[in-house]
Structure formats: C-alpha cells, structure tokens
Amino acid sequence: MAADIGIRIGVEGEKTFKSALSGINAQLKNLSSEMKAAVSSMADMGDEESRAAKRSDILSRSIEASKQKIDLISKQYDRAKESLDDLGRELDEAKREFGENSDEAIKAQNAYNRQAAAVNKLGAQLNDATAEMNRMEAELKDIAREADRAEDALSALGNEADGVFTLLHKSSYVE
C-alpha cells in the first residue's frame, strides 16, 4: 500500500513538473518567434537604437523565462536525486537482507537504475537550459556594447556638428 502512495505522488509530481516545464518551453518558443519576427521587420525600424532596444527587451524576457526553467528543473533534479539516494539505501538493504541475486534485490536494482536514468536526463536538461541562458546573456551584452558604440558614434558626430556650427558662427562675424 505504501508503495502505491509513493508511486502516485511521484507520478503526480512528475505530471506537475512536465506541465510547468511545457508552459515555460511554450513561452520560450513564443519569445523566439517574436525575436524572429522583430529581426525580420527591423529594416523598417528607424535607427539602430530602436532595433537594439527591441532585441534587448525580447532577450531579457527570454532570460527571465530561462531562469524559471532552470529553477524548475533544478528543483526537480534535487527531488529526483533524493529519491535516487533513497533507492540506493533500499537496494543496499535488499541485498543485505535477501541476498545479492534475490528477486527483491533485482527489483530494487531496476528501480534504482530507472531513477538514475531520470536523474541523468534532468542533469542534461539543466545543463542545456543553463547553456542556452548563458548564450542569451552573452547576446544581450553584445547588444549593449553595440548600443554603446552607436551612442559614442552619435556623440562624436554631435561634437563634430558643434565644431562646424561654431566655425560657421565665427566666420559669419568675421565678414
């Protein structure tokens, strides 16, 4: 009876996790398509600053969604790892109590192996999500650098214009 309750809780927890992960993945997919649409329409946008702001906004929202995804996967990973540790203790106990090759030890080993595979899969998902978030953060930094360069260029152009205006203004007094 206790095993049934444990299995049901595990399945319900897994269902909640998968549902939440699916929602975050859908949000990330939507943001990705929004970025593609924005990039394709950027030729119509007036200046580099507007384009950078739009890309920056979408990337910032994508990073936030990625952080949520990483947090969700991390929590699920921790729960799965705890379960793996429990199954490892149960496996050791079954081997000690019933023998290395007993049916109980084999069942415990199979449960342990399934859980180990689940932990490994979650670890890979966590690594992938972290790498994707790091990529987006690097892209966001690149956009900020591009915006700074554009601002510096605009400032330099403004200084040149001021210099030309000053020269023109001085030359108008000379005549």
Side-chain angles (χ1 to χ4, degrees):
M1 183 83 172
D4 291 339
I5 292 171
I7 291 169
R8 187 175 41 163
I9 290 171
V11 169
E12 288 173 359
E14 182 74 12
K15 184 177 181 181
T16 302
F17 165 73
K18 285 183 177 181
S19 175
L21 186 59
S22 178
I24 292 171
N25 284 337
Q27 181 181 9
L28 285 166
K29 187 175 182 179
N30 182 42
L31 288 165
S32 176
S33 70
E34 184 178 341
M35 179 65 87
K36 288 176 185 172
V39 167
S40 70
S41 69
M42 283 184 184
D44 297 337
M45 286 185 167
D47 57 30
E48 182 66 31
E49 192 174 313
S50 296
R51 292 189 290 267
K54 181 69 174 173
R55 288 175 54 212
S56 179
D57 173 59
I58 296 169
L59 275 172
S60 294
R61 289 185 287 144
S62 296
I63 289 168
E64 283 307 310
S66 291
K67 286 178 181 179
Q68 291 174 358
K69 181 177 182 177
I70 289 168
D71 185 54
L72 180 69
I73 294 171
S74 182
K75 287 177 182 175
Q76 187 70 10
Y77 178 85
D78 291 344
R79 284 190 293 270
K81 186 78 169 99
E82 285 176 22
S83 179
L84 182 65
D85 292 342
D86 291 343
L87 288 170
R89 285 188 288 279
E90 290 176 20
L91 174 60
D92 291 341
E93 186 177 314
K95 286 179 180 179
R96 203 174 35 257
E97 187 174 329
F98 301 106
E100 195 78 24
N101 295 318
S102 67
D103 287 343
E104 291 82 0
I106 291 170
K107 286 178 186 176
Q109 182 69 57
N110 288 335
Y112 180 86
N113 292 343
R114 283 190 302 275
Q115 189 63 25
V119 167
N120 292 336
K121 182 179 178 184
L122 286 167
Q125 288 177 334
L126 187 57
N127 289 338
D128 290 346
T130 302
E132 180 62 16
M133 186 187 69
N134 290 340
R135 184 199 60 76
M136 286 187 277
E137 286 177 335
E139 188 175 345
L140 188 59
K141 286 178 185 176
D142 287 346
I143 292 169
R145 280 192 290 272
E146 288 173 18
D148 287 345
R149 282 192 296 267
E151 187 177 313
D152 290 346
L154 188 58
S155 177
L157 185 61
N159 290 339
E160 286 181 33
D162 285 345
V164 168
F165 178 74
T166 301
L167 284 175
L168 289 174
H169 187 66
K170 284 182 180 178
S171 67
S172 66
Y173 286 115
V174 173
E175 293 180 24

